[in-house]
Amino acid sequence: GIGMGMTAPVSITAFPAEDGSLQHKVKVSLRIPSQFQANPPCPSDESVKIEERQGMTIYSTQFGGYAKEVDYVNYAAKLKSALGSEVAYREDFYFCSGYDPPMKPYGRRNEVWFVKE
């Protein structure tokens, strides 16, 4: 019953298939605003869960425009290529992050994050 507004980034946990495409399961994460973090309101929908994300080190790449699944897949492949085989990161998932409201037409920011192992 509490309106918290939208926060950024919105992170989607993507699970890549062996061919690099994304599996149909995803997890969407929204940041709880600072004033609610100590005592977040209880979700009224049982499919909504509150999780604490531990600190992490990420490898990231940024791109603009209205991001589609194919954009995230392509930039994940570019990031993987740029990192090469010497860098250890989680390969079972990665984050697709967006920072802008849907109605912002220009200067959009999207990122792909690989989590360092």
Side-chain angles (χ1 to χ4, degrees):
I2 297 173
M4 292 190 287
M6 196 64 175
T7 60
V10 173
S11 295
I12 298 171
T13 307
F15 302 92
E18 288 187 26
D19 66 358
S21 66
L22 299 182
Q23 296 180 31
H24 290 285
K25 67 176 184 174
V26 296
K27 181 166 119 179
V28 178
S29 301
L30 306 171
R31 185 181 172 280
I32 294 176
S34 298
Q35 67 266 33
F36 297 105
Q37 286 186 11
N39 188 21
C42 294
S44 56
D45 182 329
E46 64 184 41
S47 68
V48 175
K49 308 286 186 237
I50 295 177
E51 297 178 351
E52 185 171 339
R53 187 179 283 176
Q54 299 300 314
M56 64 183 119
T57 300
I58 61 167
Y59 301 104
S60 177
T61 189
Q62 181 178 330
F63 61 99
Y66 281 97
K68 298 177 185 66
E69 179 179 332
V70 67
D71 299 314
Y72 286 115
V73 169
N74 288 339
Y75 278 92
K78 289 178 184 180
L79 181 57
K80 182 176 183 173
S81 177
L83 293 173
S85 59
E86 300 298 315
V87 178
Y89 56 87
R90 297 286 304 264
E91 294 189 36
D92 54 330
F93 72 92
Y94 58 87
F95 294 104
C96 305
S97 299
Y99 289 82
D100 303 296
M103 299 311 292
K104 182 179 178 184
Y106 303 106
R108 297 182 65 80
R109 177 179 171 185
N110 310 291
E111 296 177 348
V112 172
W113 302 347
F114 289 177
V115 178
K116 180 181 178 181
E117 284 204 71

